[in-house]
Every structure is written in structure tokens, then in C-alpha cells.
Amino acid sequence: MVTTSVFLLLMLVGVPIGLCLMLVSMVYILDSGNLLLFDSLPVQLFGGVDNYGLISIPLFVLIGEVMNGGGITRRIIDMTMAFIGSLRGGLAYVNLFANMFVSSILGSATAQVAIMAQMMVPEMEKKGYDKTFAAGLTAYGGMLGPIIPPSIMFVVYSVLAQVPVADMLMAGMVPGILLTAIFCVMIALMGFVYDYPKGEKQTIRVRAKIVLNALPTLLIPVIIVGSILAGIANPTEAAAVGVVAAFVVGRYWIGDLSYRDIPKMLLRSAVYSAVVLFLVAAAAVFSWVLVYGMVPQNVAAWVQTVASDPITFMLLVNVILLVIGTVIDGAPGLIMTVPILLPIATEVYGIDPIHFGVVVVINLVLGFLSPPVGLCFFVASAVTGAKPGKMFIVTLPFFFASCVLLVLLSIFPQLSTFFAG
């Protein structure tokens, strides 16, 4: 009871989640009276980040920095515009598909929204789209970042669940494609109802020129994902090669990347990566304390009185995680829920940990787009000036579509494990 009270108090006063987890773990040890546990605390803290797969996190972050600074994102948008920009609601499709391409390189929802909102929302507004809708759509496009490989959240989950990073990354491909397809259906229906404008149709010669200019940028996701799928490289090696590829394309093909920009890129990547890695380390301590306190076992006993089969359990998890995701961001949400729910999923209900991980990550990512936190909406708001609350209301069809996908993924695990293993 003391530990729970301290945890809630720390959360309410806004203590960073990593520090919150560490302090709560220490309070639990003090409350238990077994002070010898403090001797093991540094070992658990270091063990949390003693994983080769975690090296891929700063590398994936650096890819995003180089890609943005090197003008690669702009080329991807131009190429998408050349092919589907002439459809009704063409710029909305461009926004979504460009997000899909960018997510296959970036892997971070908030970074993706910040980049794409700067480029797409003013363009859509000039063509007659409502700014709130444009910003909201960009935020939902950012949802693809943590799902389509590479994904920082999948890397964190793979460490927490002790599953291969490569399998976890590949598991996001089918759900990411399905989510993009469902969003396209939503755009088509809304385009018909609201009479979204059509764009100018490009000639074949212009299209060919744009594709030729953008072709090297497409090599980056091909190198990253292709090398993992082919078994040529593990995710960490693929991320390192991806950094080199992004630098070569940005510096020598596009020419927008300057050597002077590199120190700032490295610093931003290091700061963001340090935050994520400290969360992972704190999660290791928190998980260790939970197991010692038999929290997963007690929760499992309660869950079995409510859920009698794997599908019922997964649907219950969806509801729980959607609620948690509305107030806690993605990586902290993973760190707080996976140590409790994963043992129940695998040991009690026999659910594949990779399948479970995909459902958990998508649930928590949807929390990026749900009040009261709605982090992606706040990022889009900071860039565009649109109001987060209005964004949520205007894009409710996309929220319900995401929930439909979660139900499908919960019932059909093959959708998550098709490319894994």
C-alpha cells in the first residue's frame, strides 16, 4: 500500500517516469524490510541495458536525424505526390503514404509527426484542406512509426520480453500495412463526404524525373529491412549500415547535408537515446521488484476469474492498455505493463510473445492519439497551431478504425507472426 501511494504521488507531481520507477523500487525494498535487496539493485540496473540489441536504438534515432537534415523526407513526399496526388483527397493520401515510407526509416512517432507536420500541413492548407484535419491526419500517420520496422518501441519490448529483436521488428510489417490500408479507406470515405480537392496530374516524364531523384532515398529502408529479412545483418548492424546510407544519400546525392550539422545530430540522438535507455534500465529494476513481490502471480489469479480463454484475455488487455495509454506514453507504458501482463499471456494462456508484443505496442501507440495526453496531437499542435482537442474529434474515424485493427490482431495472431521467426 505504501509503495502504491508513493508511486501515485510521484506520478501526480510529474516526476519523470524513469526516476519514478527507480524511487518506487527503492521504497518497496525499504517497506519489505529486506535491505539486502539493495546489494542486487545495481546489478539489475546494469543488466537492464546489457543487451546488444539496444545499440540499435541510438542508430535508428541517428538515421532519422540524418534523413531529416539531408532532405530525404522531402524527396519521398515529392515522389508520393507524383503518383497519387491527383486523386480526390490526393494530398491526404500523400501525407499517409509519405508517413509510411518515412516510418520505415525513422521508427519514432513523435519525431515523425514533427517532421511531417512542418512539410504537409501548410501544403494541405494551401490546397483547401482544413488545418485541424491535416494536422490530425499527420498525427495518425505518425502512428505508423512505432509499428513499421524499424521501431524503437519494438526494440524495447524485445529486450523486456527476451525475444529476438529481428522477429519483433518484422512482426510489425503486416499490421503496419493493414493500418495504412484502413486509413486509406477512411480518407476515401471522408473525401467523398467532404468533397476533398483533387491535385494536378503529373505527366509520365515528370513522374520519371521525380522517381529518379528519389530512387536513392528508397534504398535506405530496403537496406535496413531487406538485410534483416534476408538474414544478412541483425537489426543493430542494419541500423549502422542505414546511418551510412542516409549520410551518403543526404550529402552526396541530394547535397543538403553539411558536415557542420553532424555534431548537433549526434547530440540530439544521444540525448533522446539516453532517455530511452535509462527507462529500460529502470524497467529492469521495477520488473525484478514486481516478481519479488509476486505481483504478476496475483494479477494472473484475478485475470483468470475474468478471462476464460486467450481471445477474451487479449480483448481485456486491449481495454486495459487503451486506458493506460491515454495517460502514459508508449515506452513507459511498455515498461510498466509488460512485466506484469506478459507472464500471464505466455504461461497461463499460451499466447505467442511476439503476437502479444504487437498488440501491446499498437495499443500504447494509440494512446499517443487519445486524451488527456495525446502526445502526437500536442506535437502537431506545437508545429501547426491546430488545437489538440479538435484534432481528436475530427479524426475520430481513424481512432475507431485503429480499434477494429486491434480486435482483428487479437483474434488472428497470424497477422502479427507472418514475417516473424
Side-chain angles (χ1 to χ4, degrees):
M1 187 66 184
V2 173
T3 307
T4 305
S5 301
V6 171
F7 179 74
L8 292 174
L9 178 63
L10 292 173
M11 291 286 288
L12 286 172
V13 299
V15 175
I17 188 66
L19 289 175
C20 185
L21 293 175
M22 286 295 300
L23 291 171
V24 167
S25 300
M26 292 177 183
V27 169
Y28 177 83
I29 293 173
L30 288 171
D31 189 46
S32 70
N34 187 359
L35 300 184
L36 290 175
L37 291 175
F38 277 113
D39 294 338
S40 299
L41 194 148
V43 176
Q44 297 295 331
L45 187 66
F46 176 77
V49 290
D50 187 18
N51 188 298
Y52 177 72
L54 288 175
I55 301 174
S56 62
I57 291 179
L59 292 172
F60 283 140
V61 174
L62 184 56
I63 289 174
E65 288 287 342
V66 175
M67 184 188 74
N68 189 35
I72 294 171
T73 307
R74 180 76 258 174
R75 296 292 177 100
I76 291 174
I77 292 174
D78 290 343
M79 184 189 66
T80 312
M81 179 79 76
F83 283 94
I84 59 176
S86 60
L87 300 174
R88 181 172 299 283
L91 270 180
Y93 289 110
V94 169
N95 190 337
L96 189 62
F97 277 95
N99 265 294
M100 186 180 72
F101 281 119
V102 172
S103 69
S104 66
I105 305 171
L106 204 54
S108 169
T110 51
Q112 188 168 323
V113 171
I115 293 169
M116 298 300 293
Q118 293 178 50
M119 296 185 175
M120 290 305 306
V121 174
E123 191 70 24
M124 291 180 72
E125 197 175 3
K126 279 193 291 185
K127 297 295 183 181
Y129 292 83
D130 177 63
K131 180 171 73 172
T132 302
F133 168 75
L137 176 62
T138 306
Y140 270 94
M143 184 179 172
L144 299 171
I147 302 173
I148 296 177
S151 164
I152 293 171
M153 284 186 66
F154 278 156
V155 174
V156 172
Y157 175 85
S158 69
V159 173
L160 294 173
Q162 296 297 299
V163 297
V165 177
D167 289 350
M168 201 64 236
L169 291 177
M170 291 302 101
M173 289 189 66
V174 172
I177 293 169
L178 284 175
L179 190 63
T180 305
I182 291 173
F183 284 175
C184 283
V185 172
M186 291 297 103
I187 291 172
L189 293 174
M190 293 176 73
F192 178 77
V193 172
Y194 296 107
D195 194 26
Y196 289 153
K198 293 183 178 181
E200 297 179 6
K201 192 172 182 179
Q202 304 282 3
T203 64
I204 294 177
R205 180 175 293 181
V206 171
R207 287 179 180 176
K209 183 179 179 181
I210 292 173
V211 170
L212 183 63
N213 287 333
L215 202 57
T217 67
L218 301 181
L219 292 176
I220 301 171
V222 169
I223 288 171
I224 296 171
V225 179
S227 60
I228 296 174
L229 276 175
I232 299 172
N234 60 41
T236 303
E237 294 165 345
V241 175
V243 171
V244 175
F247 176 79
V248 170
V249 171
R251 179 71 183 92
Y252 297 104
W253 179 267
I254 299 176
D256 288 356
L257 186 63
S258 170
Y259 285 107
R260 292 192 301 272
D261 298 328
I262 294 177
K264 293 180 182 178
M265 292 178 180
L266 291 172
L267 179 60
R268 286 193 296 265
S269 301
V271 170
Y272 180 77
S273 302
V275 172
V276 175
L277 292 174
F278 180 73
L279 281 171
V280 174
V285 177
F286 186 66
S287 302
W288 167 63
V289 167
L290 287 176
V291 172
Y292 182 82
M294 299 187 69
V295 173
Q297 294 91 325
N298 294 332
V299 174
W302 173 79
V303 167
Q304 289 179 76
T305 64
V306 179
S308 57
D309 57 81
I311 293 178
T312 307
F313 170 73
M314 289 299 288
L315 294 177
L316 177 63
V317 166
N318 280 326
V319 175
I320 293 171
L321 291 178
L322 278 175
V323 173
I324 291 173
T326 60
V327 293
I328 300 174
D329 295 336
L334 276 179
I335 287 163
M336 292 175 61
T337 57
V338 169
I340 298 173
L341 296 176
L342 180 63
I344 303 171
T346 56
E347 297 169 16
V348 178
Y349 294 98
I351 295 169
D352 188 300
I354 292 176
H355 167 223
F356 184 74
V358 171
V359 174
V360 169
V361 168
I362 294 178
N363 265 290
L364 292 174
V365 170
L366 193 55
F368 285 156
L369 301 154
S370 307
V373 176
L375 184 60
C376 282
F377 283 146
F378 280 102
V379 172
S381 174
V383 174
T384 65
K387 294 185 177 180
K390 288 185 177 180
M391 275 189 253
F392 176 72
I393 295 171
V394 168
T395 55
L396 268 177
F398 295 91
F399 179 83
F400 292 128
S402 303
C403 291
V404 169
L405 176 65
L406 279 170
V407 172
L408 291 174
L409 290 173
S410 300
I411 297 173
F412 302 106
Q414 299 87 352
L415 296 175
S416 304
T417 58
F418 186 80
F419 284 108

